[in-house]
Amino acid sequence: MMGLIKGMGVTLKTMTRKKVTHRYPDEPIPMPDRFRGIQHFDPEKCVVCNQCARVCPTDCITLTGRKHPDPGKRGKIIDTFDINFEICILCDLCTEVCPTEAIVMTQNFELATYSRDDLYKNMEWLHENNTNIRGGPQ
Ligand code: SF4
Ligand code: SF4
């Protein structure tokens, strides 16, 4: 009898406790401020300096650019910018080294897919990944 009362006590205590589980994915999980998620890329800001690709420890950034077509303007414009998320370790080095904040971290992390091919993200995809930018909108 004592065992039953004790058991009921534990049940009642647990029922009134605050829930620790999240209704994910129906409700997004709030991430810490410094969370390193999938990058957002802004082609307008990129000066094709190649520093992000050079610093990347896993060589997962591939980019190409060309001279600005307007002879009155200096510098280069970006043509392609791809990140291979099969091997990106979200270390943040590419965003730290970028002189123009063309590449920045977001707090988005959902990359689950059935195909490895889907883990190659191009410039358009990275540009559209523009929610939850770390540190607020750029
Ligand atoms: S976060 Fe790190 S591993 Fe990923 S692309 Fe940037 S530098 Fe490379
Ligand atoms: S470091 Fe920034 S500006 Fe330079 S190529 Fe990479 S994204 Fe573009």
Side-chain angles (χ1 to χ4, degrees), residues 36-37 39 52-53 55-61 81-85 87-95 103 105:
R36 302 194 301 260
Q39 299 90 326
C52 52
V55 79
C56 178
T58 63
D59 279 338
C60 62
I61 298 179
F81 189 97
D82 305 294
I83 299 182
N84 175 4
F85 283 99
I87 52 174
C88 171
I89 54 173
L90 296 168
C91 66
D92 203 9
L93 288 177
C94 54
T95 65
I103 185 163
M105 285 283 173

Side-chain angles (χ1 to χ4, degrees), residues 78 121-122:
I78 191 90
K121 301 298 186 192
N122 64 15

Side-chain angles (χ1 to χ4, degrees), residues 5-47:
I5 294 168
K6 246 182 175 175
M8 288 303 286
V10 171
T11 306
L12 287 171
K13 218 163 113 186
T14 310
M15 276 171 69
T16 52
R17 247 189 234 155
K18 196 171 166 256
K19 285 195 183 87
V20 292
T21 49
H22 292 274
R23 290 179 55 79
Y24 179 82
D26 297 331
E27 286 170 22
I29 300 174
M31 287 296 154
D33 288 346
R34 298 183 65 201
F35 180 78
R36 302 194 301 260
I38 309 158
Q39 299 90 326
H40 162 66
F41 178 72
D42 185 347
E44 293 291 319
K45 290 185 181 171
C46 181
V47 293

Side-chain angles (χ1 to χ4, degrees), residues 65-121:
R66 64 191 146 98
K67 263 189 82 173
H68 205 291
D70 181 349
K73 291 199 173 153
R74 292 174 63 195
K76 288 180 169 180
I77 58 169
I78 191 90
D79 274 332
T80 64
F81 189 97
D82 305 294
I83 299 182
N84 175 4
F85 283 99
E86 262 191 291
I87 52 174
C88 171
I89 54 173
L90 296 168
C91 66
D92 203 9
L93 288 177
C94 54
T95 65
E96 279 186 10
V97 82
C98 180
T100 61
E101 296 196 341
I103 185 163
V104 289
M105 285 283 173
T106 73
Q107 293 180 323
N108 301 329
F109 58 89
E110 285 158 331
L111 281 169
T113 175
Y114 288 107
S115 165
R116 287 181 162 188
D117 295 343
D118 293 342
L119 293 172
Y120 284 81
K121 301 298 186 192

